[in-house]
Amino acid sequence: MTELWNALPLVIQILLKITAILLPLLGLVAYYTYAERKVIGYIQIRIGPNRVGWRGLLQPIADAVKLMMKEIVIPTKADKTLFLLAPMIAIAPAMAAWAVFPFDEELVLADINAGLLYILALTSLGVYGVIIAGWASNSRYALLGAMRSAAQIVAYEIAMGFALVGVLVAAGSLNLGAIVAAQQGSLLTWFWLPLLPLFGVYLISGVAETNRAPFDVAEGESEIVAGFHVEYSGMGFAVFFLAEYANMILIAALTSLMFLGGWLSPLPQAWVGDLWLLGDGFHWLLLKTFFFMFVFLWLRATFPRYRYDQIMRLGWKVFIPITIVWILVVALAVVYRLPPWWSA
Amino acid sequence: MGFEKFLFYVFALITLWAAGMVITRRNPVHAVLFLVLAFVSSAALWVLIEAEFLGIVLVLVYVGAVMVLFLFVVMMLDVDLAALRAGFIRALPLGLLVAGVMAVEIFLIVGPANFGLEAFPPPDAAPADATNTRDLGILLYSIYIYPVEIAAVILLVAIVAAIRLTLRRRPDNKSVDPARQVRVKKGPDRIRLVKMAPEVEEPFGASPTTESGETS
């Protein structure tokens, strides 16, 4: 089997690996939308979708078929090229970021040194999809959504970048695999504890960066209808939807990688050894990711939408100072080798 | 080497084409988007010469932040293209002159005499595990520490100046102070209880003959 694999040309090997990452990801995205409707339904004491398939399990398939069948309407006087390009620009970075994502100690498509930087650069590109969609639609509501989104994402990207600088100082590397390796130990040696403020800032900035409630002013259906994608129908809309959920999964996975030790087991190696599922493994990463994915839904069901000026205040006046102070704290802790995290 | 060279020409052509579109497009939003494309493809060129860190930072800073704000401003402004183009022919000779002087200057400094293969032979390819983030950091914070610090101070001055320019107190502007809002206590800050005599309202449809007590 390995011989057959090695006999394949490199391009084919890489393409197969990409398929192996993207297919489960898209499946997860589809069922994440179902989970969202179910979870929020139960939180609000409703049932949620329950008509298609057993307990509504085929609902995402039905939605996908519906969206594919729908006509794509292009508004008059819209910039047609950019209008059609925008959903692709939105989804491409959300998919491409997974290229450097390590699922396990060895299981990574491209093990590059500046992995963290690459992911930060790619997630910052997603905003172009939103802005271009808003502008190309030739609609006031869409343009307003795009403006809000641009200002918000630039504000929170700085806080997010600073939080990641803290992680990079703590781990001493930009490589995602090395960041996880630096958290080796147990639940208490993971970075969430020494970097607790940065952990909070990163998670909340992640919610803001993906334009999710309570930071969803770019959509703000009660104020500007559906914001930047108000003119999109059918697959155009579906692709924006896919991009948003793929980004949420990415943020959830990255948070568990950088602050909750990725695939590391919460129990010390000395206690469990390689005992079946208690040892390190991909399932821990999956579990942690699912937890944060649930947090995204939980937040949406719990909080009302932030007002625009409050969002700006939180980003610029609260998060950025917190991160700057904590980077200093982490740097001092690393220099003075604060145990147990940096005693080695 | 062959494939790398091919990639170089592809990205170089895209960069040049995008840069040309930036100055020829009529629509300013399209021009900005072509500028983004030019940045991205020059980042790819940097990655090709093994400057991965700089390439990714170019995308992160210029494409991810600076150009987003730029696009933001361009979309908000209603640029009057006719007015912009009015003096084109008149300013053309001066523009060509300035461009020519600049081209000669650039040629004198980075021309083949100074930057040719004789002056700088191509460096050996770095090993696959070389981290140019670390190398760059060590250089920046040892040999080039003064330039880095001076650049930082200049940027700080710019930030302070920009904030000072936009900061203005408007007494007629009703705004809330979140710090005060957060400090509000449950008791007297939120609710003020007032004592007053009870008022009895006339019930709807009551006939005027019924006794309604003393009305206020």
Side-chain angles (χ1 to χ4, degrees), chain A residues 79 125 128 131 135 147 313, chain B residues 27 30 63 67 72 75 130 178:
Chain A
D79 192 318
L125 292 186
Y128 278 98
I131 300 185
W135 182 78
M147 292 293 145
R313 176 177 166 273
Chain B
N27 191 325
H30 289 181
V63 179
M67 294 314 287
F72 185 90
M75 282 180 185

Side-chain angles (χ1 to χ4, degrees), chain B residues 155-165:
Chain B
L155 286 176
L156 183 68
V157 170
I159 293 174
V160 173
I163 293 178
R164 181 66 195 83
L165 282 177

Side-chain angles (χ1 to χ4, degrees), chain A residues 254-269:
Chain A
L254 283 176
T255 314
S256 34
L257 209 60
M258 288 184 295
F259 295 96
L260 285 192
W263 55 81
L264 300 178
S265 159
L267 302 167
Q269 194 73 31

Side-chain angles (χ1 to χ4, degrees), chain A residues 93-315:
Chain A
M95 302 276 132
W98 289 92
V100 298
F101 191 89
F103 297 95
D104 202 338
E105 261 158 276
E106 283 109 37
L107 217 58
V108 49
L109 179 57
D111 191 12
I112 66 172
N113 276 322
L116 191 62
L117 209 58
Y118 170 83
I119 286 197
L120 197 61
L122 275 186
T123 46
S124 69
L125 292 186
V127 65
Y128 278 98
V130 174
I131 300 185
I132 293 174
W135 182 78
S137 298
N138 190 30
S139 151
R140 263 105 185 132
Y141 291 123
L143 188 62
L144 278 174
M147 292 293 145
R148 289 175 171 200
S149 172
Q152 173 181 327
I153 287 182
V154 167
Y156 280 85
E157 205 169 80
I158 298 172
M160 200 174 197
F162 275 150
L164 294 187
V165 169
V167 174
L168 137 78
V169 170
S173 173
L174 278 170
N175 182 297
L176 288 165
I179 289 174
V180 174
Q183 306 178 49
Q184 193 82 47
S186 70
L187 184 67
L188 295 177
T189 61
W190 294 348
F191 283 157
W192 67 273
L193 196 55
L195 303 182
L196 193 59
L198 299 184
F199 173 46
V201 167
Y202 182 77
L203 190 59
I204 300 173
S205 305
V207 179
E209 194 96 331
T210 47
N211 282 328
R212 290 287 299 178
F215 298 94
D216 58 344
V217 286
E219 286 180 45
E221 61 278 282
S222 54
E223 305 141 29
I224 49 173
V225 200
F228 64 94
H229 58 51
V230 64
E231 303 291 347
Y232 281 87
S233 62
M235 274 321 272
F237 169 76
V239 170
F240 273 120
F241 213 67
L242 284 178
E244 180 178 330
Y245 283 77
N247 271 324
M248 283 156 66
I249 297 174
L250 181 68
I251 296 284
L254 283 176
T255 314
S256 34
L257 209 60
M258 288 184 295
F259 295 96
L260 285 192
W263 55 81
L264 300 178
S265 159
L267 302 167
Q269 194 73 31
W271 295 5
V272 289
D274 269 340
L275 205 66
W276 196 48
L277 280 178
L278 289 177
D280 304 340
F282 174 61
H283 55 283
W284 285 113
L285 178 63
L286 208 60
L287 208 66
K288 292 162 187 173
T289 307
F290 280 166
F291 170 72
F292 285 114
M293 284 162 65
F294 176 74
V295 169
F296 268 96
L297 309 182
W298 194 3
L299 287 175
R300 178 169 171 195
T302 311
F303 291 114
R305 186 176 301 129
Y306 255 110
R307 214 172 56 206
Y308 186 71
D309 62 312
Q310 291 170 335
I311 288 183
M312 286 297 141
R313 176 177 166 273
L314 185 70

